Coordinates of all heavy atoms in Angstrom, one line a residue:
R263 N -3.4 -13.2 -15.5 CA -3.1 -12.5 -14.2 C -3.2 -11.0 -14.4 O -3.7 -10.3 -13.5 CB -1.8 -13.0 -13.6 CG -1.8 -14.5 -13.0 CD -0.4 -15.0 -12.5 NE -0.5 -16.1 -12.0 CZ 0.5 -16.9 -11.5 NH1 1.7 -16.4 -11.7 NH2 0.4 -18.1 -11.0
A264 N -2.6 -10.5 -15.5 CA -2.6 -9.1 -15.6 C -3.9 -8.5 -15.9 O -4.2 -7.4 -15.5 CB -1.6 -8.8 -16.9
L265 N -4.8 -9.3 -16.4 CA -6.2 -8.9 -16.8 C -7.2 -9.1 -15.6 O -8.3 -8.8 -15.8 CB -6.7 -9.5 -18.1 CG -5.9 -9.1 -19.3 CD1 -6.4 -10.1 -20.5 CD2 -6.1 -7.6 -19.6
S266 N -6.6 -9.7 -14.5 CA -7.6 -10.0 -13.5 C -8.1 -8.7 -12.8 O -7.3 -7.7 -12.7 CB -6.9 -10.9 -12.4 OG -5.8 -10.3 -11.9
C267 N -9.3 -8.7 -12.2 CA -9.8 -7.5 -11.5 C -9.4 -7.4 -10.2 O -9.5 -8.3 -9.4 CB -11.4 -7.6 -11.6 SG -12.2 -6.3 -10.7
E268 N -8.7 -6.3 -9.8 CA -8.3 -6.0 -8.5 C -9.3 -5.3 -7.6 O -9.2 -5.4 -6.4 CB -7.0 -5.1 -8.6 CG -5.9 -5.7 -9.3 CD -5.1 -6.8 -8.5 OE1 -5.3 -6.8 -7.1 OE2 -4.6 -7.8 -9.1
L269 N -10.3 -4.6 -8.3 CA -11.1 -3.8 -7.4 C -12.5 -3.7 -8.1 O -12.6 -3.3 -9.3 CB -10.5 -2.3 -7.3 CG -11.4 -1.3 -6.7 CD1 -11.8 -1.5 -5.2 CD2 -10.8 0.2 -6.8
A270 N -13.6 -3.8 -7.3 CA -14.9 -3.6 -7.7 C -15.4 -2.4 -6.9 O -15.4 -2.5 -5.6 CB -15.8 -4.8 -7.5
L271 N -15.7 -1.3 -7.4 CA -16.0 -0.1 -6.6 C -17.4 0.4 -7.0 O -17.7 0.6 -8.2 CB -15.0 0.9 -7.1 CG -15.2 2.4 -6.7 CD1 -15.1 2.5 -5.2 CD2 -14.2 3.4 -7.3
V272 N -18.3 0.6 -6.1 CA -19.6 1.2 -6.2 C -19.4 2.7 -5.8 O -19.1 2.9 -4.6 CB -20.8 0.5 -5.4 CG1 -22.0 1.3 -5.5 CG2 -20.8 -1.0 -6.0
L273 N -19.8 3.6 -6.6 CA -19.8 5.1 -6.3 C -21.3 5.4 -5.9 O -22.2 5.3 -6.8 CB -19.4 5.9 -7.4 CG -17.9 5.5 -7.9 CD1 -17.6 6.2 -9.3 CD2 -16.8 6.0 -6.9
A274 N -21.6 5.6 -4.7 CA -23.0 5.8 -4.2 C -23.3 7.3 -3.9 O -22.7 7.7 -2.9 CB -23.3 4.9 -3.0
V275 N -24.0 8.0 -4.7 CA -24.3 9.4 -4.5 C -25.6 9.6 -3.8 O -26.6 9.2 -4.2 CB -24.2 10.0 -5.9 CG1 -24.4 11.5 -5.9 CG2 -22.8 9.8 -6.5
D276 N -25.5 10.5 -2.9 CA -26.7 11.0 -2.1 C -27.5 12.0 -2.9 O -27.0 13.1 -3.4 CB -26.3 11.6 -0.8 CG -27.3 12.2 0.1 OD1 -28.4 12.0 -0.3 OD2 -27.0 12.7 1.1
V277 N -28.8 11.7 -3.1 CA -29.6 12.6 -3.9 C -30.9 12.9 -3.1 O -32.0 13.2 -3.6 CB -30.0 12.1 -5.3 CG1 -28.8 11.8 -6.2 CG2 -30.8 10.8 -5.2
S278 N -30.8 12.9 -1.8 CA -31.9 13.1 -0.8 C -32.3 14.6 -0.9 O -31.7 15.5 -1.6 CB -31.4 12.9 0.6 OG -30.4 13.6 1.0
G279 N -33.4 15.0 -0.3 CA -34.0 16.2 -0.4 C -33.1 17.4 0.1 O -33.3 18.6 -0.4
S280 N -32.2 17.1 0.9 CA -31.3 18.2 1.4 C -30.2 18.7 0.4 O -29.5 19.6 0.7 CB -30.6 17.7 2.7 OG -29.9 16.5 2.5
V281 N -30.2 17.8 -0.6 CA -29.2 18.1 -1.7 C -29.9 18.8 -2.8 O -30.8 18.3 -3.6 CB -28.6 16.8 -2.4 CG1 -27.6 17.3 -3.5 CG2 -27.9 16.1 -1.2

Side-chain angles (χ1 to χ4, degrees):
R263 287 177 176 174
L265 293 174
S266 64
C267 172
E268 295 288 333
L269 173 66
L271 173 63
V272 174
L273 302 167
V275 178
D276 180 1
V277 295
S278 57
S280 57
V281 178

